[in-house]
Amino acid sequence: MNDVPQTTPEAPSEPVVSNADTRWKFVRDVLVFELKLALNNVHNFVQIPITIAVAVVDLVFKRKQEGERFYKVVEYGRTIDDSIGIYSIIDHRERSLNSDYTVDAVLKRVEGVIVREFEKGGTATSVKAVDRALDEMQARTGPVGDKAEEAIKRAAEKVKETIRERS
């Protein structure tokens, strides 16, 4: 037998996380979250009037697809929202969302009721008149819409040029 005591290798010790470390991570998360909320609110404050204006332009001056300009602006908005990433501080947690109670799910149910009424000729019949009026307006504004689109493109180019000059 060997009189030398046998030693077992020690397991690598995990870093001890102090209370102060978790506290400062929490403080950082609060500050980052509040900053992101503020940025998102500024984004929403700007996006609301822009999307309304673009939607009106899309209703009046039809393009190949209905709402083409509007959906492009919404895509830009989603890109900005994704860049802000408001809830990224809790990405590691499991989400507990009941998909039956999202805004989209509730609106889909309400929309279903309206569509059924519309098809029956019920209280939503006046929507048909609005729909016909929009079709007529779009038909009459076709040539004017092309001119308006060119004016918007020229204005956008001037804004880009001004930004380049100032940079």
Side-chain angles (χ1 to χ4, degrees):
M1 284 221 187
N2 193 349
D3 290 341
V4 178
Q6 290 188 353
T7 59
T8 57
E10 291 184 28
S13 62
E14 293 187 24
V16 177
V17 179
S18 73
N19 210 17
D21 291 341
T22 57
R23 181 179 305 117
W24 284 110
K25 181 190 179 314
F26 169 68
V27 169
R28 177 207 171 273
D29 285 350
V30 170
L31 293 174
V32 167
F33 182 69
E34 295 303 323
L35 172 67
K36 288 179 175 187
L37 280 177
L39 285 173
N40 197 58
N41 284 337
V42 169
H43 170 242
N44 289 341
F45 183 75
V46 171
Q47 189 176 17
I48 290 170
I50 290 173
T51 53
I52 290 172
V54 170
V56 168
V57 168
D58 271 346
L59 281 172
V60 175
F61 304 108
K62 186 177 181 184
R63 291 185 87 179
K64 294 174 197 160
Q65 292 183 348
E66 199 72 49
E68 188 175 332
R69 295 175 198 95
F70 172 78
Y71 292 118
K72 192 69 172 168
V73 171
V74 172
E75 286 175 14
Y76 293 142
R78 178 171 50 187
T79 300
I80 292 169
D81 264 355
D82 290 347
S83 297
I84 294 171
I86 294 174
Y87 298 103
S88 64
I89 60 172
I90 58 169
D91 278 347
H92 63 284
R93 294 183 179 203
E94 188 175 327
R95 297 178 93 177
S96 60
L97 177 67
N98 184 338
S99 59
D100 292 338
Y101 297 104
T102 64
V103 172
D104 287 335
V106 171
L107 288 176
K108 187 174 182 176
R109 287 195 295 270
V110 170
E111 206 172 32
V113 171
I114 292 171
V115 167
R116 282 192 299 279
E117 280 296 311
F118 182 78
E119 289 170 348
K120 289 192 302 186
T123 57
T125 306
S126 60
V127 173
K128 288 180 183 178
V130 172
D131 200 34
R132 281 192 300 272
L134 287 172
D135 285 342
E136 186 178 318
M137 183 174 51
Q138 286 177 343
R140 279 193 261 146
T141 59
V144 177
D146 295 338
K147 291 179 185 176
E149 187 171 336
E150 283 302 313
I152 291 169
K153 285 181 182 177
R154 284 194 305 272
E157 284 301 317
K158 286 183 181 183
V159 168
K160 288 178 187 176
E161 187 177 310
T162 304
I163 290 171
R164 275 189 235 122
E165 288 173 359
R166 291 183 182 178
S167 296

